[in-house]
Amino acid sequence: MLRITGGKIYDPANGIDGQVKDLCVDDTGTIVSSVDGGRTIDASGMIIFPGGVDVHTHVAGGAINFARAMTPEDHRRTQAFIRTQSRRSGLGGMAPTTFATGYLYAGMGFTTVNEAAVPVLSARHTHEELADIPIVDKATLTLMANNEIMLDQMEAGEYERAKNVVAWYIWAAKSYGVKAVNPGGVAAWKWGSDAKQLTDPIDGYNSLTPGKIVTMLATICDDLGLPHPMHLHCNNLGAPGNISTTIDTLKHLEGHRAHIAHSQYHAYGGDDWDTMCSATVQLAEYFNTHPNITTDAGAVLFGDTVTITADGPWQHLLYKLTGRKWGNLDVENETGCGIVPYTYRPSNLVNAVQWASGLELMLLIRNPWQVFLSTDHPNGGCFWRYPEIIQLLMCADFRSECIKTLPDRIKSKITLPEIDREYTLYEVATSMSAGPARALGLTRKGNLGIGCDADIVIYEEEDDVARMFSHPRYVIKGGEVVIEDGDIRETPEGREFLVKPSCAPETDEFMRPLFEDCYTMSFENYPVEFERIENPNMQECVNASEK
Amino acid sequence: MTCTLGEVKQRADFIVYWGGNPAECHPRHFTKYTIMQKSKFLPRGRKDRTMVMVDIRETKSAKAANIFLQVKPGKDFELITILRALIKDQQVGDEQIAETGLTREALDDLVQRMKSCKFGCFFFGMGLSMTRGKHMNSAALLTLAAEMNAFTKFVAMPMRGHGNVTGADVIMRWQTGYPFGITFNRGYPRYNPGEFSTVDVLVRGDCDAAFIIGADPGATMPQPAINHLKRIPTICLDPHVTHTSKLARVHITTAAQGISAPGTAYRMDEIPMPLKPALKSPYPTDEEVVRRINEAIAQKPFWLPEGSQPQMISTQV
Ligand SMILES: [Zn+2]
């Protein structure tokens, strides 16, 4: 039991904007109206947020684990966590090890993370890694848009079957929702080409286009009543002039819910690398007039990172641009993924445009319930650098100082210098916690109301915003004080959120022959057993008809 | 730059085995995953695929290949470098080619075939990764495969050893950032294969106890390492009597993985496969034994006083 008194509370889910109020937590880790006894934390003069929620990150599974293998030099120069009786050792850096991932997220006040790309075949691996990430609660999304079994049904116009296939995969992979990457594009990449136009049939199909896949998959997610809508990584990631593809894609989503991943990488104008510029004004305008869609920034920070994405074509492009180490991992029948160590430099005009675009989107999209803090970790920068982004959002002066370090030629390519908006604490709390929790459909997260999970961050107010957000005074997860005065006190296991969408019983028999034809794994061996999930937490699907 | 075996089965029309002997070491590999398979894209199976074998001697696998290239021992790196030049139409001298033991015609033909396939795949075996310049060789082959993507789709994949070597490798990577050759003697993981690998630690006599699961170093390691295992308390978990179990101070008989103990095995392409036991064993599983040992250790006072070490250091020493 816990009582937190005297703090200024920022709880956007309940419209609370800095009012001083007590918070009480019961023995089950739930926020309640009053408690008798237990510890009291005096938070007078301090700032209280709901625990951070990362809507899009890559922290577990084959790809990030491959990235770890490719960056031993980085492990050696990064911070190290030392083993104690209650804590495991680990390494931070560009691709932190599992235990360190939990400590680092909790250390900056984040208590829920969404692993945004799980290939169907390696779901079992991803869950084993997630079980080794302590403290934070987790959800996973299954990669679907390039699944040949599903695409074949879409091509044949068998909507119900396609829907059952999606539902079957979600439960077989024990995941929380659907991620669509570069619809139609990854399948084509397997033959070395790419799907660029939304209305051209994709390689190997007669009539199925990326646009049709987008619309159908969004409809399927809505019809299955998934708590989180389709999570979409648009086609043409990272390419100059891709804004037209992005806007085109968004038009295919009219009337549906959707979450657009890392929009920064999809908001460029120009025709080539020389003329590439920010097109965030156009994209932000679309979001401002379409409240049905949310997005995360996918912001870029200058410095070293390693890029991993299920977007093979983009990785190949990066490799051609940089000539650096390239790792490509194609997962049979589903999707691919590539890995390239990368350094974003302010002196590089393309990188400077990317840096500005991420911030522009967060500042130009007016409603913080629609745009969330992310770097697409580790692609645009490591998650433990989020406080640097918060500082850039909250301090216009600091932003102008940073803009001064960019090449002169940048001026005609970006809008950032003309923006004077500064995030308030209330808006920061929305963008890093309440908003992403709502988009994920996690009703007990990002919310300090009665009955919600007691995931609470307490900051000592100070002028140095980046310092304040990277060193919370207390972090409370499910009612337990996990971080206090910069020390890790407790390392409870996190939960995993799962859904079981309804699926026609005959789907098993329909899938079996197709599955065995496509994969080198027997059908019985494939589904991840429910018992293998550590601390599973079932979330409800709400069918469209009941809404 | 790699892919899963399913991709190879479905799409690879050009397969190069480099320094491995899959016909004898991985007997099911040919039939289950690679050259013998028919697929949607390659309906005639073996007839639709070209197989090349690069090795220092003509093994049983070489006989199954369409083309066998016998490279001089220790010249793999040179050969890969030459191929990297040839695919980009760069000049390569006759002496350089002669050094590898191959002819210019053979290499030109190989390059032409590599470029004209639809989906190429290199499998590299122990022969490549365990010889002189081991890391360099596999890195060079991965680069060659990456560069081939300027012309067509090409991937590369290691052929790993037996047992669940891949599984150990995968888990060590997510827990410590490194695949093997790791020490925790400063409280956090550090990596140096020539120094911290089991065999090096044993030969130097650096450790004062050994705990061995699912391996038989008593049969394979050099004599000085075995002698040290005999000197120190060695604990061995194994379903069978092995060389190691005989020299160990303690041998705990455990249930055999996959036969009577459940778990997960990682295939060499890192795809996890569930192990579903068919039989019940009277013996505990490895996992259970380790868990009980851990619980017993947790009862003892920690070896360092509380607070005597930092929780985290920002720069490693
Ligand atoms: Zn991502």
Side-chain angles (χ1 to χ4, degrees):
Chain A
M1 277 183 298
L2 188 65
R3 181 197 303 273
I4 302 161
T5 58
K8 276 188 276 182
I9 296 184
Y10 293 87
D11 178 17
N14 296 295
I16 298 173
D17 185 6
Q19 279 102 295
V20 174
K21 217 172 110 233
D22 290 357
L23 281 176
C24 297
V25 180
D26 73 4
D27 282 335
T28 67
T30 306
I31 297 178
V32 290
S33 52
S34 67
V35 279
D36 231 355
R39 180 176 176 187
T40 299
I41 291 176
D42 178 7
S44 305
M46 297 187 204
I47 288 170
I48 300 183
F49 270 39
V53 177
D54 199 336
V55 75
H56 187 110
T57 184
H58 304 280
V59 289
I64 190 86
N65 211 29
F66 194 36
R68 291 181 187 116
M70 292 193 54
T71 53
E73 333 70 49
D74 178 63
H75 298 326
R76 194 155 296 193
R77 59 173 192 231
T78 185
Q79 80 249 66
F81 288 88
I82 293 176
R83 155 176 199 251
T84 67
Q85 201 161 15
S86 58
R87 217 181 43 247
R88 308 285 296 263
S89 65
L91 300 173
M94 305 183 322
T97 59
T98 49
F99 306 119
T101 298
Y103 306 148
L104 287 165
Y105 260 116
M108 63 167 191
F110 273 63
T111 47
T112 306
V113 301
N114 182 32
E115 162 56 59
V118 182
V120 172
L121 266 194
S122 57
R124 184 174 269 107
H125 172 177
T126 307
H127 290 297
E128 289 189 345
E129 270 196 49
L130 287 175
D132 274 351
I133 297 181
I135 307 178
V136 296
D137 287 338
K138 295 145 279 202
T140 61
L141 302 179
T142 303
L143 288 167
M144 284 301 310
N146 295 290
N147 184 295
E148 286 161 27
I149 299 176
M150 180 192 76
L151 295 184
D152 289 350
Q153 295 313 312
M154 288 181 166
E155 164 94 348
E158 297 278 355
Y159 174 80
E160 278 302 314
R161 274 224 175 113
K163 187 174 91 179
N164 282 320
V165 168
V166 173
W168 185 91
Y169 272 112
I170 290 176
W171 180 243
K174 297 295 173 287
S175 72
Y176 184 70
V178 171
K179 166 80 173 298
V181 172
N182 195 8
V186 181
W189 162 246
K190 289 180 176 170
W191 294 109
S193 66
D194 189 7
K196 292 254 160 78
Q197 293 304 323
L198 273 114
T199 47
D200 287 351
I202 55 177
D203 253 16
Y205 291 89
N206 291 321
S207 63
L208 192 63
T209 64
K212 283 187 191 164
I213 302 175
V214 166
T215 311
M216 262 197 253
L217 202 48
T219 314
I220 288 173
C221 292
D222 284 349
D223 286 352
L224 290 174
L226 302 180
H228 183 50
M230 176 177 64
H231 194 110
L232 176 64
H233 160 138
C234 296
N235 290 50
N236 267 347
L237 176 129
N242 62 10
I243 183 68
S244 56
T245 311
T246 310
I247 297 285
D248 237 16
T249 310
L250 293 177
K251 287 183 180 155
H252 281 84
L253 291 167
E254 300 268 352
H256 297 283
R257 300 178 305 155
H259 178 86
I260 308 299
H262 39 69
S263 325
Q264 179 277 126
Y265 287 104
H266 303 276
Y268 308 142
D271 310 308
D272 53 31
W273 295 108
D274 285 330
T275 55
M276 176 192 165
C277 59
S278 157
T280 53
V281 174
Q282 201 184 339
L283 188 55
E285 193 43 42
Y286 197 92
F287 279 99
N288 287 336
T289 51
H290 292 80
N292 56 315
I293 43 175
T294 55
T295 188
D296 59 274
V300 153
L301 286 164
F302 296 122
D304 291 338
T305 192
V306 51
T307 69
I308 67 165
T309 144
D311 190 340
W314 155 245
Q315 288 288 339
H316 187 61
L317 197 67
L318 259 182
Y319 171 74
K320 279 201 284 191
L321 281 174
T322 61
R324 298 266 300 262
K325 240 192 287 207
W326 186 55
N328 182 48
L329 193 75
D330 282 352
V331 175
E332 56 200 68
N333 183 269
E334 290 148 9
T335 178
C337 93
I339 290 138
V340 183
Y342 193 78
T343 307
Y344 291 97
R345 296 173 206 281
S347 57
N348 174 318
L349 216 51
V350 170
N351 294 162
V353 169
Q354 294 176 312
W355 174 84
S357 301
L359 298 172
E360 287 169 10
L361 281 169
M362 296 207 68
L363 293 161
L364 291 171
I365 298 176
R366 284 190 291 272
N367 183 358
W369 288 95
Q370 264 183 291
V371 60
F372 314 132
L373 187 60
S374 87
T375 54
D376 189 20
H377 165 81
N379 294 311
C382 301
F383 68 79
W384 42 268
R385 296 181 64 191
Y386 286 171
E388 297 175 42
I389 302 176
I390 299 178
Q391 185 181 19
L392 286 160
L393 295 174
M394 288 187 72
C395 318
D397 289 346
F398 176 64
R399 231 158 41 219
S400 349
E401 286 305 308
C402 295
I403 294 171
K404 282 187 197 145
T405 67
L406 305 181
D408 261 356
R409 285 199 296 147
I410 194 77
K411 302 246 164 63
S412 60
K413 294 172 173 287
I414 59 174
T415 327
L416 194 62
E418 293 137 51
I419 306 174
D420 51 17
R421 178 176 168 197
E422 289 184 333
Y423 266 53
T424 61
L425 284 171
Y426 188 74
E427 286 171 329
V428 173
T430 312
S431 180
M432 71 173 250
S433 176
R438 185 177 288 179
L440 284 168
L442 293 170
T443 49
R444 291 169 59 116
K445 298 292 179 189
N447 187 328
L448 297 177
I450 305 296
C452 293
D453 289 352
D455 296 353
I456 304 165
V457 206
I458 307 177
Y459 303 99
E460 202 104 53
E461 189 162 15
E462 58 177 300
D463 293 338
D464 184 342
V465 169
R467 230 195 84 81
M468 170 178 139
F469 280 100
S470 45
H471 297 92
R473 176 75 186 272
Y474 301 94
V475 178
I476 293 148
K477 165 71 198 350
E480 265 185 282
V481 178
V482 292
I483 305 283
E484 184 167 350
D485 291 333
D487 275 352
I488 303 164
R489 291 290 156 94
E490 300 291 337
T491 57
E493 285 175 3
R495 291 176 293 177
E496 250 203 75
F497 299 115
L498 309 177
V499 293
K500 187 176 186 181
S502 60
C503 178
E506 65 272 17
T507 310
D508 259 3
E509 281 327 295
F510 165 73
M511 288 286 297
R512 179 187 303 272
L514 300 174
F515 189 96
E516 300 199 326
D517 199 38
C518 278
Y519 299 95
T520 52
M521 189 189 277
S522 78
F523 187 70
E524 282 74 23
N525 272 345
Y526 172 63
V528 179
E529 302 80 358
F530 185 69
E531 308 74 58
R532 288 212 180 212
I533 308 297
E534 301 219 359
N535 310 310
N537 188 285
M538 296 302 300
Q539 298 286 308
E540 293 298 314
C541 285
V542 183
N543 283 340
S545 53
E546 298 160 24
K547 266 184 205 158
Chain B
M1 245 234 347
T2 179
C3 65
T4 63
L5 291 168
E7 293 281 333
V8 176
K9 167 181 157 187
Q10 289 267 332
R11 298 164 192 266
D13 56 347
F14 188 78
I15 298 172
V16 182
Y17 286 97
W18 198 302
N21 184 4
E24 286 166 43
C25 299
H26 299 266
R28 291 189 318 148
H29 186 84
F30 277 166
T31 46
K32 191 149 183 219
Y33 301 123
T34 61
I35 56 171
M36 303 311 287
Q37 281 287 335
K38 292 179 182 166
S39 77
K40 181 157 101 184
F41 304 107
L42 304 165
R44 295 183 306 149
R46 180 70 183 91
K47 290 200 193 78
D48 283 330
R49 305 183 202 254
T50 305
M51 176 187 160
V52 179
M53 186 76 217
V54 183
D55 207 346
I56 52 169
R57 69 185 90 81
E58 197 166 350
T59 60
K60 209 167 157 191
S61 308
K63 296 196 180 74
N66 299 80
I67 300 168
F68 171 59
L69 299 173
Q70 188 161 8
V71 60
K72 280 194 184 154
K75 293 294 172 194
D76 298 283
F77 186 79
E78 286 75 2
L79 179 55
I80 298 166
T81 311
I82 290 170
L83 288 174
R84 288 183 55 197
L86 290 177
I87 60 167
K88 286 171 252 170
D89 295 319
Q90 289 161 356
Q91 293 302 313
V92 180
D94 286 334
E95 328 78 275
Q96 286 162 290
I97 291 180
E99 235 182 78
T100 64
L102 297 163
T103 63
R104 185 179 292 274
E105 293 68 50
L107 296 189
D108 282 343
D109 175 61
L110 179 65
V111 166
Q112 194 269 326
R113 285 169 188 270
M114 279 163 59
K115 286 186 176 179
S116 56
C117 74
K118 285 194 90 172
F119 184 133
C121 178
F122 291 119
F123 284 104
F124 52 100
M126 292 311 227
L128 181 69
S129 51
M130 296 305 272
T131 49
R132 190 175 65 85
K134 24 189 169 180
H135 297 322
M136 297 289 291
N137 283 344
S138 14
L141 198 64
L142 288 167
T143 315
L144 173 61
E147 288 170 348
M148 276 305 296
N149 279 274
F151 308 101
T152 184
K153 173 83 184 173
F154 233 95
V155 300
M157 196 192 294
M159 307 268 293
R160 283 184 249 233
H162 301 272
N164 198 359
V165 178
T166 309
D169 185 300
V170 166
I171 293 172
M172 290 313 281
R173 234 157 58 212
W174 84 56
Q175 296 199 342
T176 73
Y178 305 118
F180 49 75
I182 305 158
T183 181
F184 293 92
N185 64 4
R186 287 188 189 153
Y188 61 89
R190 290 186 304 143
Y191 171 66
N192 195 7
E195 185 182 1
F196 304 141
S197 310
T198 317
V199 59
D200 300 294
V201 172
L202 286 172
V203 167
R204 285 198 310 271
D206 273 1
C207 57
D208 48 20
F211 187 77
I212 293 157
I213 308 177
D216 191 9
T220 54
M221 284 203 175
Q223 198 57 44
I226 293 173
N227 290 344
H228 191 65
L229 281 175
K230 287 181 187 162
R231 259 194 306 272
I232 57 175
T234 293
I235 304 160
C236 171
L237 268 52
D238 207 296
H240 310 290
V241 172
T242 63
H243 289 89
T244 311
S245 79
K246 282 187 204 152
L247 64 79
R249 208 74 64 84
V250 178
H251 172 203
I252 300 173
T253 305
T254 50
Q257 281 291 335
I259 299 168
S260 46
T264 305
Y266 281 78
R267 245 164 41 182
M268 68 178 170
D269 55 356
E270 299 190 0
I271 294 296
M273 307 294 285
L275 298 174
K276 295 181 178 167
L279 303 166
K280 265 209 152 30
S281 168
Y283 301 110
T285 61
D286 289 334
E287 189 191 356
E288 194 186 336
V289 172
V290 173
R291 199 181 55 238
R292 282 166 60 183
I293 292 175
N294 260 333
E295 280 166 10
I297 293 173
Q299 299 303 314
K300 302 201 166 187
F302 193 51
W303 57 295
L304 283 170
E306 191 61 49
S308 65
Q309 280 203 298
Q311 290 201 330
M312 192 203 82
I313 51 171
S314 42
T315 338
Q316 296 173 39
V317 279

